[in-house]
């Protein structure tokens, strides 16, 4: 659903402070827009809620990753030391489970950390070097000191004229058309 | 008196700011960005890097000589088979732990003073782990078969021996290195996006652009990012405790008197944090001076770090006391000999008393505010701790091994030139990487500094008496 529209990808409104952006995002959401995105140089509390984003699945992904890592780590040691090639090492039992805990723990953490990073990047659709927003000159300040609100063309309520007027009504510093 | 006001009321705003006055989003970005996005090199940087790079060459020569001739070039002999290689391994990995403590544990405890030192401390972790990680391979007699320590299906049908702490080490250190790298890189992504957008140079723009993965600061992305970052912090916290505990198992699982001590895991972790904070201070004080970062790394930061160092130093001192007490209380003649005769009065007694001077006596000055506020004294104390923690590992490893159960197997260990050169070489590797890091990547997290700016503005706006609050803060600095 990304870049099929021929001319206009959406409108980008620029704001000076995070408070202005949160207020503008709330009003946009109240006006019935759903494909709203907000961009800020740092995380702004309440902004995700203002554009209607409530929950991430990251925690579940990390938990699953950790669980698989832990079970896998222990199973590997059990398989190696009890089933595949049992050896008498220092008279210890084959299934010397207390000695297996450190490796099991490290495998848990490693898998959970990979799940956190890869899960986050995957859900965010990163890496993605090109994005239509980067065509807008003002947007280069989105990572520095400016705050942006973006309405995408495929929103049900999106209308080239009306949306433009609506965004003007929010008193942005600047308003740009985004070309795909 | 100032301290009294400081402690009053938990709900009261912190009297001393962790960010210099008059900063907004732009100035923070410019100040930190300008350390990286300028042409040419500072004279101090060039000199420092040249010296460090000279030591890198010493490192390469030492490794070549070692691989060519074998571990016999070191001063190891039969009772003392673990010398500098393991001492320095434990020392380096211990230094790494402060970085994780600052970035992960202080994040979980919501300590906002961590924001200006976390990036730098995490980089220190990575480079210290890089130095540490080389020793377990280099000190193998046959380093080219180090991959046998990894579990993989092979035609011999063999597996690593999962009951050995040295195999635990492989998992612990490789996990620690990987997770620290991921945590550090995730923290860097938004800052790399800032660098991408600020860079004038085309090549720099492309390179930072690749690093930032097309980050565009979307609110949805931030939301997932923050959750992932928080979870990584939650994972790193037990990880850092486990890693140095596992390193301590290398000794405490052994039967050698002086090694077989159940106190080692927590005491090694405390010692690691102690040594790590000393190294953060050793590096942060000159960097702050050189790059004029007094607004970001304030006296408050140094003061807090000194307090953490004092706290962990006291835990370490308690560890020394307990080792001696249990040796006396336990009435095992070997342990009694090791702790109460060999360490304080044996041939290595000066190492032991140096250790007590550096780790037990020197940090006690940190109880006093003038010592914590004077950068010169603080730097000297942190150098004492760096040396003291090295001596601690020497005392535990070498002194215990050189005289244990059978007197016929007592032998003195003396380090050779190649022991020293490899150690100095890893210091060179560490410092070179630090210098490159400061030149190439933002040494302070721009994003988190902006959160701090945002919080301060927000706070000032809500209070409505920002002026009075400011005056209050002034009276303490």
């Amino acid at each position: 659903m990304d870049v099929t529209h021929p001319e206009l990808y959406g409108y980008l409104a620029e704001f000076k402070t995070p408070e202005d952006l949160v207020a503008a995002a709330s009003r946009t959401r109240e006006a019935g827009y759903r494909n709203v995105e907000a961009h800020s140089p740092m995380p702004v509390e309440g902004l995700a809620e203002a554009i209607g984003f409530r929950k991430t699945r990251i925690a579940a992904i990390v938990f699953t990753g950790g669980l698989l890592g832990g079970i896998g780590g222990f199973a590997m040691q059990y398989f190696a030391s009890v089933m595949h090639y049992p050896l008498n090492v220092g008279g210890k039992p084959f299934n010397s489970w207390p000695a297996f805990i450190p490796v099991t723990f490290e495998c848990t953490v490693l898998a959970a950390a990979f799940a956190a990073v890869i899960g986050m990047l995957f859900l965010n659709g990163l890496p993605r070097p090109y994005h239509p927003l980067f065509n807008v000159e003002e947007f280069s300040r989105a990572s520095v000191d400016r705050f942006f609100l973006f309405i995408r063309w495929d929103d049900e309520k999106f209308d080239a004229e009306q949306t433009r007027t609506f965004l003007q009504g929010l008193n942005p510093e600047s308003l740009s058309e985004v070309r795909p | 008196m100032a301290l009294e006001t400081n402690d009053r009321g938990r709900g009261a705003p912190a009297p001393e700011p962790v960010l210099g006055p008059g900063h907004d989003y732009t100035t923070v970005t410019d100040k930190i960005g300008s350390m990286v996005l300028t042409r040419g090199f500072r004279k101090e940087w060039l000199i420092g890097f040249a010296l460090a790079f000279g030591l890198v060459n010493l490192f390469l020569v030492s490794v070549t000589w070692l691989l060519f001739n074998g571990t016999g070039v070191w001063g190891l002999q039969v009772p003392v088979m673990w010398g500098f290689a393991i001492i320095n391994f434990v020392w380096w990995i211990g230094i790494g732990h402060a970085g994780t403590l600052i970035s992960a544990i202080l994040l979980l405890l919501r300590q906002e003073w961590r924001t200006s030192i976390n990036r730098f401390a995490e980089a220190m972790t990575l480079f210290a782990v890089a130095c540490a990680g080389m020793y377990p391979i280099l000190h193998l007699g046959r380093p080219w078969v180090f991959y046998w320590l990894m579990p993989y299906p092979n035609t011999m049908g063999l597996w690593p021996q999962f009951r050995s702490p040295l195999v635990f080490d492989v998992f612990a250190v490789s996990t620690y290195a990987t997770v620290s790298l991921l945590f550090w890189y995730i923290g860097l992504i938004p800052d790399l996006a800032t660098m991408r957008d600020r860079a004038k140079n085309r090549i720099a723009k492309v390179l930072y652009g690749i690093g930032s993965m097309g980050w565009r600061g979307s609110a949805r992305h931030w939301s997932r990012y923050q959750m992932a970052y928080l979870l990584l912090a939650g994972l790193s916290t037990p990880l850092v405790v486990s890693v140095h505990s596992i390193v301590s198992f290398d000794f405490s699982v052994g039967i050698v008197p002086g090694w077989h001590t159940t106190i080692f895991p927590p005491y090694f972790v405390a010692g690691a944090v102690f040594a790590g904070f000393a190294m953060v201070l050793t590096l942060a004080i000159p960097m702050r001076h050189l790059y004029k970062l007094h607004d970001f790394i304030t006296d408050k930061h140094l003061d807090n770090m000194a307090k953490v160092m004092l706290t962990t130093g006291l835990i370490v001192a308690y560890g020394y006391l307990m080792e001696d007490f249990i040796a006396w209380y336990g009435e095992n003649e070997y342990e009694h000999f090791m702790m109460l005769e060999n360490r304080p009065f044996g041939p290595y007694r000066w190492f032991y008393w140096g250790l007590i001077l550096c780790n037990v006596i020197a940090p006690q000055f940190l109880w006093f505010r003038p010592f914590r506020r004077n950068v010169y004294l603080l730097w000297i104390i942190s150098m004492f701790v760096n040396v003291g923690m090295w001596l601690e590992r020497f005392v535990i490893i070498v002194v215990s091994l050189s005289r244990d159960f059978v007197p016929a197997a007592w032998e003195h260990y003396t380090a050779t030139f190649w022991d020293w050169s490899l150690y100095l070489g890893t210091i060179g590797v560490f410092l070179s990487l630090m210098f490159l890091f400061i030149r190439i990547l933002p040494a302070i997290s721009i994003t988190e500094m902006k959160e701090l700016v945002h919080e301060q503005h927000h706070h000032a706006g809500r209070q409505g008496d920002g002026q009075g609050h400011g005056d209050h803060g002034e009276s303490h600095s």
Side-chain angles (χ1 to χ4, degrees), chain B residues 418-461:
Chain B
W418 296 108
D419 283 303
W420 283 107
S421 65
L422 189 64
Y423 177 42
L424 285 174
T426 50
I427 292 177
V429 172
F430 176 76
L431 290 177
S432 303
L433 290 169
M434 270 327 269
F435 275 111
L436 289 175
F437 158 71
I438 289 176
R439 187 67 191 83
I440 294 170
L441 294 169
I444 295 175
S445 171
I446 303 173
T447 309
E448 294 192 20
M449 290 313 284
K450 281 180 197 160
E451 285 183 77
L452 214 56
V453 170
H454 176 51
E455 249 161 60
Q456 279 191 352
H457 284 196
H458 195 63
H459 194 70

Side-chain angles (χ1 to χ4, degrees), chain A residues 5-21:
Chain A
H5 197 275
E7 283 156 30
L8 190 61
Y9 189 68
Y11 283 114
L12 184 70
E14 176 184 355
F15 296 92
K16 227 174 169 175
T17 69
E19 289 79 14
D20 292 346
L21 176 60

Side-chain angles (χ1 to χ4, degrees), chain B residues 77-100:
Chain B
Q77 17 71 5
V78 168
V80 186
M81 291 303 284
W82 278 4
F84 268 41
I86 304 293
I87 295 167
N88 298 333
F89 163 67
V90 182
W91 189 73
W92 275 123
I93 201 124
I95 284 170
H97 283 25
T100 317

Side-chain angles (χ1 to χ4, degrees), chain B residues 311-447:
Chain B
T311 312
T312 46
L314 290 171
I315 301 174
V316 169
Y318 175 80
Y320 299 151
L321 189 71
M322 263 311 118
E323 278 185 319
D324 286 344
F325 172 74
I326 294 296
W328 169 77
Y329 188 70
E331 292 199 341
N332 176 301
E333 61 185 279
Y334 297 103
E335 200 177 344
H336 191 280
F337 168 76
M338 182 59 67
M339 297 295 183
L340 301 176
E341 289 170 47
N342 190 30
R343 279 191 189 174
F345 307 114
Y348 292 107
R349 60 186 171 282
W350 295 115
F351 287 79
Y352 179 77
W353 293 112
L355 154 75
I356 297 294
L357 171 74
C358 292
N359 282 359
V360 181
I361 297 169
Q364 301 311 317
F365 291 102
L366 299 174
W367 284 100
F368 307 103
R369 192 179 157 87
F371 285 89
R372 297 197 305 267
R373 290 288 164 147
N374 183 318
V375 287
Y376 299 101
L377 293 174
L378 194 55
W379 195 82
I380 290 168
I381 292 172
S382 57
M383 277 315 278
F384 264 93
V385 174
N386 287 331
V387 174
M389 285 309 292
W390 188 88
L391 290 170
E392 181 194 300
R393 278 69 183 245
F394 184 93
V395 165
I396 290 171
I397 296 168
V398 171
V399 178
S400 306
L401 286 175
S402 67
R403 299 170 117 194
D404 63 356
F405 294 114
V406 183
W410 286 6
E411 195 70 65
H412 200 80
Y413 165 85
T414 314
T416 62
F417 170 80
W418 296 108
D419 283 303
W420 283 107
S421 65
L422 189 64
Y423 177 42
L424 285 174
T426 50
I427 292 177
V429 172
F430 176 76
L431 290 177
S432 303
L433 290 169
M434 270 327 269
F435 275 111
L436 289 175
F437 158 71
I438 289 176
R439 187 67 191 83
I440 294 170
L441 294 169
I444 295 175
S445 171
I446 303 173
T447 309

Side-chain angles (χ1 to χ4, degrees), chain A residues 25 46 82 106 112 166 176-177:
Chain A
V82 180
E106 300 301 331
F166 169 75
S176 324
E177 286 181 0

Side-chain angles (χ1 to χ4, degrees), chain A:
Chain A
M1 66 176 194
D2 256 347
V3 191
T4 48
H5 197 275
E7 283 156 30
L8 190 61
Y9 189 68
Y11 283 114
L12 184 70
E14 176 184 355
F15 296 92
K16 227 174 169 175
T17 69
E19 289 79 14
D20 292 346
L21 176 60
V22 174
S26 304
R27 282 182 57 189
T28 312
R29 179 108 184 125
E30 279 160 22
Y33 290 98
R34 289 294 171 265
N35 264 338
V36 184
E37 190 53 276
H39 299 268
S40 57
M42 77 281 183
V44 175
E45 214 177 316
L47 189 56
E49 289 78 8
I51 60 163
F53 181 73
R54 309 228 167 263
K55 215 165 111 186
T56 78
R57 284 172 290 161
I58 297 280
I61 292 174
V62 173
F63 181 77
T64 313
L67 201 65
L68 290 176
I71 294 171
F74 193 89
M76 171 187 73
Q77 296 176 82
Y78 188 89
F79 174 75
S81 318
V82 180
M83 295 157 74
H84 193 227
Y85 198 154
L87 276 172
N88 183 345
V89 177
K92 291 188 175 71
F94 294 139
N95 179 22
S96 37
W97 66 266
F100 297 162
I101 297 302
V103 171
T104 307
F105 176 81
E106 300 301 331
C107 292
T108 310
V109 172
L110 187 64
F114 269 116
V117 173
I118 294 171
M120 187 272 282
L121 292 177
F122 177 77
L123 291 177
N124 284 349
L126 299 174
R128 180 177 178 179
Y130 174 77
H131 192 278
L133 281 174
F134 292 135
N135 294 331
V136 180
E137 204 185 323
E138 285 82 4
F139 193 70
S140 69
R141 291 181 76 178
S143 66
V144 182
D145 54 1
R146 285 301 157 96
F147 301 82
F148 291 89
L149 188 74
F150 175 64
I151 303 181
R152 207 161 60 186
W153 65 274
D154 57 359
D155 191 284
E156 278 179 20
K157 233 182 147 250
F158 189 88
D159 176 88
E161 283 309 309
Q162 276 179 12
T163 306
R164 191 188 178 91
T165 324
F166 169 75
L167 281 173
Q168 286 288 9
L170 297 173
N171 284 328
E173 292 282 307
S174 73
L175 184 62
S176 324
E177 286 181 0
V178 183
R179 305 273 164 205

Side-chain angles (χ1 to χ4, degrees), chain B residues 91-114:
Chain B
W91 189 73
W92 275 123
I93 201 124
I95 284 170
H97 283 25
T100 317
L101 189 98
I102 288 170
S103 57
I105 300 181
L106 296 184
L107 179 81
L108 295 182
L109 297 175
R110 300 197 177 280
Q111 296 291 308
E112 26 172 66
W113 60 276
R114 71 179 267 288

